[in-house]
Amino acid sequence: MCGIVGYYGKQDQVLDTLVSGLKRLEYRGYDSAGVAIINKDQEFTCIKEVGKIKNLENKINNQNIPEFKGIGIAHTRWATHGVPSVENAHPHSGQDQKIFLVHNGIIENYQEIKDKLTNEGVTFYSQTDTEVLAKLIEFNYTGDLKEAVLKSLEVVQGAYATVVLAKNEPDRLIAVKKGSPMVLGLNGDEYILGSDVSAIISKTREVIYLEDGEMIDINNGQYSVCNLDNQSLDKDIHNIDWDEDAASKEGYEHFLIKEILEQPKVIKDSVRGRLLPDTGDIKFGGLIDVMDKIKEVNRVIILGIGTSFYSAKLGELYFESIANIPAKAEMSPEFRYNDAVIDDKTWVIAISQSGETADTIAGIEEAKRKGALVTGIVNSVGSPIARITDAGVYNQIGPEISVASTKAFTSQATLLLMHAILLGRTRGLGYTQAEELISEIKKLPEYFEKVALLRGETKELASKYINYDNLVYVGRKYNYPIALEGALKIKEVSYVHAEGLSAGEFKHGFIALIDEKMPTIAILTKDSVYDKMVSNVEEIRARNGKIIAIASEGDERVESISEDVIYVPRSTKEEIQPLINNMALQLLAYNFAHGRGLDVDKPRNLAKSVTVE
Ligand code: F6R
């Protein structure tokens, strides 16, 4: 949430690096954006604009900027305090524009600080908490930026990743992290700071991950790291092995469709080397060190939010049926306040694509405090969740850029199924059952190839229903989480009201809303609850409800009870089928949003990394 870029290095690289970094981070927020650079005569030029980065870029290109130095900061915003406007956009400055900063996070006690500074004669121009931080640092500035930042942070409560410049020290850039992420890229005499590595990879693969309470001081071409007590720290330099092309659209119109259609490939990457069909086992290198603990657990909690929570809901079913262990999916924003019963025999698995979600981080911390083993399933390498968990498994699906999560869900659910097999094999799961599941997991790419062929059909279906404003998704058992995820996906990208329900829950209230104006997407593939689903669908039809069915290839019966049918390939394992069904629903959501002419990759009001509570 909010993207930050900082640059120190070559004059001819400043604006390019800042703007291209922002473009890479735009999925984090796109309400408004801004840059600040220092001119040769030691004044700041700050340019801000509302809306997407391209608006800012146009403004920069149309502006006559005085000659400037090789240092600057930039920001793309997802509003927390104050509406999206030029005034509220970052960078923000101190009272006399001696310092400028960009910030990601929330300053919780901003009002108290603002009141004190107002009494001291400081004037505020925005509604943001960030401006308070900028004004405070300048208020404390007496010629040494590091000193001013350290002094200011003594009174600041909340979360921040911030990069600060001072016009009187035009060869200096300070960055601090607490709660929100920050990475430093090293490229010889150039330094690039970013909220995540995507802002940096076009320049360098060498990075330093800042931990909470750490500060980077880049001064006259040298960098040093210290804590907030100003004690020096030695930091490891990591190498990122990301393919830069993976973060480009590769000829597709949108990231969303690219990420949906690349699932046959990425799921192979996600499971590569981890399936051992000969012995019916699963091998996760990242869990080897905690396997002894895993064998001792008597309860599993799977933590996540949004799409990651819905994959957790599937995981809950997998663990109970395959590993025969009590399991519960927990929504991280609730979990942190719920006094959950957890002890050292509990295995908490935190799910997060970004690895940055604030509520999930808080849930992990709570679980660790209570003595649980906490592992992660995370996509973003080196992200905060990957680093604070005891151990974990990476999705290995490449960057997910489109704000709506698609391939991450598929990989999360597949890896959870594999976690359940891993644990199950230590708790009586037989070789045959494990091997059958493993061989169906291996077939997922084939199934996804077939679903990819439904692109045209789902487009036609979307155009038929494009003017409907209410939809309901229903499923049962393994397809109940898919109904929830299907509804979330279409809501996010199409702004259509959609609800996901268990088909069994339907007649306990929701059915009152059914009429010919509210179509039902029924996940009706062949599985152990198929007959129950058919009865539930009949109940809806009896109230003039239109049914759009997701059905197994060859199931002609479904045609007689549905208005429209999308046929998907059938897996021999009902645990695998929901993943196939979900990909068809992803295509439907994409086509619905695209058909409505919406910005499918950056839906309004959303951000991909939610780093505030
Ligand atoms: C939905 C979506 C969000 C995220 C949620 C958690 O398409 O993207 O609901 O799933 O914000 O994000 P992560 O997985 O990064 O923790």
Side-chain angles (χ1 to χ4, degrees):
M1 192 162 272
C2 296
I4 288 180
V5 192
Y7 178 78
Y8 179 104
K10 302 182 170 67
Q11 189 271 340
D12 63 347
Q13 299 288 310
V14 185
L15 279 172
D16 271 2
T17 311
L18 293 177
V19 173
S20 67
L22 285 187
K23 284 183 179 163
R24 296 268 192 198
L25 294 178
E26 199 172 13
Y27 65 87
R28 303 176 70 92
Y30 32 85
D31 293 339
S32 52
V35 296
I37 46 183
I38 301 185
N39 303 332
K40 284 272 161 59
D41 58 3
Q42 283 188 222
E43 288 301 330
F44 278 103
T45 295
C46 180
I47 306 169
K48 310 201 258 190
E49 188 53 291
V50 175
K52 308 256 166 75
I53 310 296
K54 64 174 176 333
N55 301 358
L56 174 71
E57 199 175 16
N58 291 340
K59 198 164 178 181
I60 293 173
N61 291 337
N62 291 330
Q63 196 142 328
N64 211 348
I65 303 173
E67 216 186 325
F68 50 90
K69 297 172 86 67
I71 192 165
I73 52 178
H75 187 270
T76 180
R77 179 168 186 250
W78 187 88
T80 56
H81 294 70
V83 294
S85 66
V86 170
E87 293 71 38
N88 288 335
H90 302 210
H92 284 283
S93 70
Q95 174 83 348
D96 297 319
Q97 309 214 327
K98 287 186 188 153
I99 76 116
F100 270 74
L101 61 74
V102 288
H103 164 234
N104 174 16
I106 292 182
I107 308 299
E108 283 163 7
N109 58 339
Y110 80 101
Q111 193 59 54
E112 186 188 317
I113 300 172
K114 190 173 183 174
D115 291 346
K116 279 191 188 144
L117 290 173
T118 307
N119 284 339
E120 298 284 347
V122 176
T123 313
F124 289 85
Y125 302 96
S126 77
Q127 289 102 51
T128 65
D129 52 333
T130 301
E131 190 188 1
V132 175
L133 185 62
K135 294 281 189 290
L136 177 67
I137 294 174
E138 186 168 309
F139 185 78
N140 287 324
Y141 184 72
T142 53
D144 183 330
L145 185 58
K146 184 176 178 183
E147 212 176 88
V149 175
L150 286 173
K151 183 168 182 205
S152 303
L153 293 180
E154 282 171 14
V155 299
V156 167
Q157 288 161 17
Y160 45 80
T162 183
V163 188
V164 198
L165 295 179
K167 69 174 192 172
N168 293 341
E169 296 173 84
D171 267 322
R172 194 170 204 186
L173 182 150
I174 299 261
V176 200
K177 169 194 171 357
K178 187 183 153 215
S180 302
M182 174 85 74
V183 189
L184 171 68
L186 307 171
N187 187 34
D189 50 5
E190 286 179 292
Y191 299 96
I192 312 102
L193 284 148
S195 296
D196 66 49
V197 289
S198 57
I200 291 168
I201 43 168
S202 65
K203 283 266 180 200
T204 179
R205 304 282 149 139
E206 284 192 354
V207 300
I208 290 176
Y209 294 106
L210 271 204
E211 300 295 339
D212 281 351
E214 292 182 352
M215 169 186 273
I216 291 175
D217 182 7
I218 300 168
N219 198 357
N220 282 314
Q222 301 299 317
Y223 82 93
S224 58
V225 184
C226 66
N227 62 19
L228 299 186
D229 294 323
N230 204 4
Q231 292 160 326
S232 301
L233 300 170
D234 270 338
K235 296 287 293 179
D236 291 339
I237 297 175
H238 297 263
N239 241 302
I240 323 162
D241 60 356
W242 256 23
D243 174 6
E244 204 190 331
D245 286 349
S248 75
K249 282 190 203 149
E250 291 170 10
Y252 287 99
E253 195 178 351
H254 300 106
F255 280 109
L256 183 58
I257 190 67
K258 175 198 165 209
E259 287 162 6
I260 294 171
L261 293 178
E262 75 187 2
Q263 288 177 105
K265 177 192 168 294
V266 298
I267 207 65
K268 262 189 220 154
D269 298 339
S270 203
V271 305
R272 181 166 291 123
R274 293 166 164 180
L275 299 168
L276 307 178
D278 292 347
T279 54
D281 283 319
I282 300 294
K283 187 177 106 195
F284 285 129
L287 297 185
I288 286 172
D289 290 347
V290 292
M291 263 328 280
D292 286 344
K293 280 195 181 168
I294 287 177
K295 286 179 190 156
E296 297 295 309
V297 299
N298 58 22
R299 189 159 176 253
V300 177
I301 286 179
I302 313 163
L303 196 59
I305 180 63
T307 289
S308 297
F309 174 65
Y310 297 144
S311 69
K313 300 259 324 155
L314 258 179
E316 168 187 296
L317 299 174
Y318 291 150
F319 271 103
E320 297 213 320
S321 70
I322 295 167
N324 190 27
I325 189 165
K328 193 166 178 222
E330 291 272 8
M331 200 184 270
S332 52
E334 293 302 316
F335 174 80
R336 60 186 299 189
Y337 298 113
N338 275 356
D339 300 325
V341 179
I342 292 175
D343 59 22
D344 59 357
K345 292 275 185 294
T346 310
W347 180 12
V348 174
I349 304 175
I351 314 287
S352 179
Q353 188 288 127
S354 63
E356 293 182 18
T357 304
D359 289 309
T360 307
I361 291 177
I364 292 168
E365 281 161 357
E366 178 64 11
K368 281 174 81 170
R369 255 194 303 278
K370 290 179 172 168
L373 166 69
V374 184
T375 68
I377 298 180
V378 172
N379 191 35
S380 187
V381 175
S383 57
I385 293 181
R387 283 175 293 124
I388 61 171
T389 40
D390 298 320
V393 171
Y394 282 119
N395 292 97
Q396 294 182 352
I397 54 169
E400 192 182 63
I401 308 287
S402 185
V403 166
S405 187
T406 51
K407 61 178 179 173
F409 174 88
T410 303
S411 163
Q412 290 162 353
T414 308
L415 293 175
L416 279 166
L417 176 57
M418 289 162 62
H419 277 64
I421 299 171
L422 175 86
L423 183 61
R425 292 294 277 148
T426 70
R427 298 171 58 89
L429 176 72
Y431 165 76
T432 310
Q433 207 196 337
E435 193 281 325
E436 280 173 12
L437 285 165
I438 288 173
S439 80
E440 277 299 285
I441 294 172
K442 287 183 85 171
K443 277 207 220 146
L444 273 171
E446 240 173 80
Y447 292 132
F448 293 156
E449 293 285 3
K450 289 191 181 151
V451 180
L453 301 175
L454 297 173
R455 192 174 169 187
E457 222 175 298
T458 49
K459 187 173 174 186
E460 268 172 44
L461 189 68
S463 63
K464 180 168 171 189
Y465 291 92
I466 206 97
N467 293 320
Y468 284 75
D469 287 324
N470 296 290
L471 298 171
V472 56
Y473 286 65
V474 295
R476 293 190 82 146
K477 200 174 178 181
Y478 292 115
N479 284 310
Y480 169 45
I482 301 305
L484 297 169
E485 169 60 11
L488 175 66
K489 210 80 321 163
I490 206 155
K491 271 189 278 212
E492 280 181 298
V493 294
S494 303
Y495 319 146
V496 174
H497 167 236
E499 296 208 32
L501 281 102
S502 149
E505 170 191 12
F506 210 78
K507 56 179 159 290
H508 297 276
F510 192 89
I511 203 160
L513 291 179
I514 284 296
D515 60 18
E516 66 290 348
K517 291 199 223 95
M518 173 146 358
T520 300
I521 289 109
I523 309 168
L524 253 178
T525 41
K526 288 277 176 78
D527 59 16
S528 57
V529 289
Y530 173 77
D531 290 334
K532 303 285 170 209
M533 271 300 296
V534 170
S535 311
N536 295 143
V537 161
E538 293 288 12
E539 290 157 8
I540 299 168
R541 276 164 47 78
R543 273 103 192 149
N544 293 325
K546 290 193 171 81
I547 301 292
I548 302 162
I550 306 294
S552 301
E553 266 167 6
D555 182 3
E556 284 167 18
R557 179 182 175 194
V558 170
E559 278 178 35
S560 63
I561 54 170
S562 327
E563 188 86 11
D564 290 284
V565 186
I566 293 285
Y567 283 112
V568 292
R570 182 174 178 190
S571 164
T572 51
K573 286 279 162 198
E574 67 173 351
E575 293 85 347
I576 295 289
Q577 191 63 50
L579 306 181
I580 301 169
N581 301 344
N582 187 56
M583 182 171 164
L585 295 181
Q586 292 172 345
L587 284 172
L588 183 66
Y590 170 76
N591 284 315
F592 219 93
H594 192 28
R596 287 185 159 211
L598 298 170
D599 184 347
V600 297
D601 282 335
K602 298 187 197 79
R604 69 182 180 207
N605 302 340
L606 300 180
K608 190 144 185 79
S609 294
V610 183
T611 54
V612 294
E613 189 182 344

